[in-house]
Amino acid sequence: AASSLTATPVNPSVTSPTDPASKAPVNYPTFSRISVSVGFETGATQDVTGDSRVTITVLSDASCAFVSSASASTVTVRDGAECETVRLRVDMPLFGVSGTAELQVVYLDRFYVEANPFPSWTTPAPASTAMVKTTLYKVDCTVYYQHAVATATVSLTDGATVEVTSAAAFLSTDDAVISPDASVTSDGGRLRGVSP
């Protein structure tokens, strides 16, 4: 006889289709397939994902998510959703078992830029990526100023971070002081100190 049902989201963290986190280059998924298996008293398990007899019900606010494909056991977050979690009940009436699952709904929290020394290094410690530069100084006995490498990052409400430097454009409010070097792509966004 069947003794348990386990429901596991393939994508445990999802976002709303209208949230910037769903767009490139972050590309958080807006839906998740729910993997469903039934456990038996013998210790055997049977994968019933996508079985038409499996029913998935959204227990949390219906304005947050919906079952978008019963046959594929897929749950999708709605446009403009503002919820933090989607609670689901999963039933397999044929075997008389049920279980629950939960999706975490995350959103883009903030966008920030950090500048690290250029050229970069990994040894000796600490690595250059651990040092955030806020001032580019004049190099002693020269007419030149330091350079830095700008890194653009977004953070999400679940604490995850995604580097988005390759999709960012770096501009300066005063090119006579700090000049982003658009020709340099291998280092992300290189910032050149020009004058005090």
Side-chain angles (χ1 to χ4, degrees):
S3 58
S4 64
L5 182 147
T6 302
T8 307
V10 174
N11 299 320
S13 294
V14 291
T15 191
S16 167
T18 53
D19 191 84
S22 70
K23 312 297 187 253
V26 181
N27 293 325
Y28 250 57
T30 59
F31 63 90
S32 179
R33 189 165 196 215
I34 309 300
S35 175
V36 184
S37 63
V38 173
F40 296 89
E41 292 174 353
T42 62
T45 60
Q46 181 178 342
D47 184 356
V48 294
T49 304
D51 189 308
S52 61
R53 296 166 294 188
V54 172
T55 61
I56 300 175
T57 306
V58 176
L59 298 176
S60 48
D61 187 350
S63 67
C64 183
F66 62 99
V67 179
S68 52
S69 174
S71 62
S73 303
T74 302
V75 176
T76 298
V77 180
R78 292 187 186 277
D79 289 355
E82 296 180 358
C83 56
E84 294 180 3
T85 57
V86 177
R87 292 180 299 108
L88 306 169
R89 177 186 168 97
V90 182
D91 294 283
M92 180 55 152
L94 176 68
F95 295 125
V97 289
S98 64
T100 59
E102 188 172 282
L103 299 172
Q104 183 176 16
V105 185
V106 301
Y107 305 93
L108 192 136
D109 185 38
R110 69 186 183 107
F111 171 85
Y112 59 96
V113 175
E114 289 182 340
N116 303 109
F118 177 85
S120 60
W121 68 86
T122 55
T123 57
S128 61
T129 54
M131 307 171 103
V132 176
K133 297 212 50 89
T134 56
T135 305
L136 299 179
Y137 294 99
K138 189 173 185 180
V139 178
D140 289 342
C141 302
T142 73
V143 295
Y144 301 105
Y145 285 80
Q146 294 174 318
H147 290 197
V149 176
T151 304
T153 306
V154 296
S155 63
L156 304 169
T157 54
D158 65 351
T161 58
V162 180
E163 184 184 330
V164 295
T165 305
S166 62
F170 298 93
L171 305 173
S172 174
T173 57
D174 190 345
D175 284 341
V177 176
I178 297 288
S179 177
D181 191 341
S183 66
V184 179
T185 57
S186 61
D187 300 309
R190 185 169 330 158
L191 307 176
R192 295 184 297 113
V194 178
S195 67

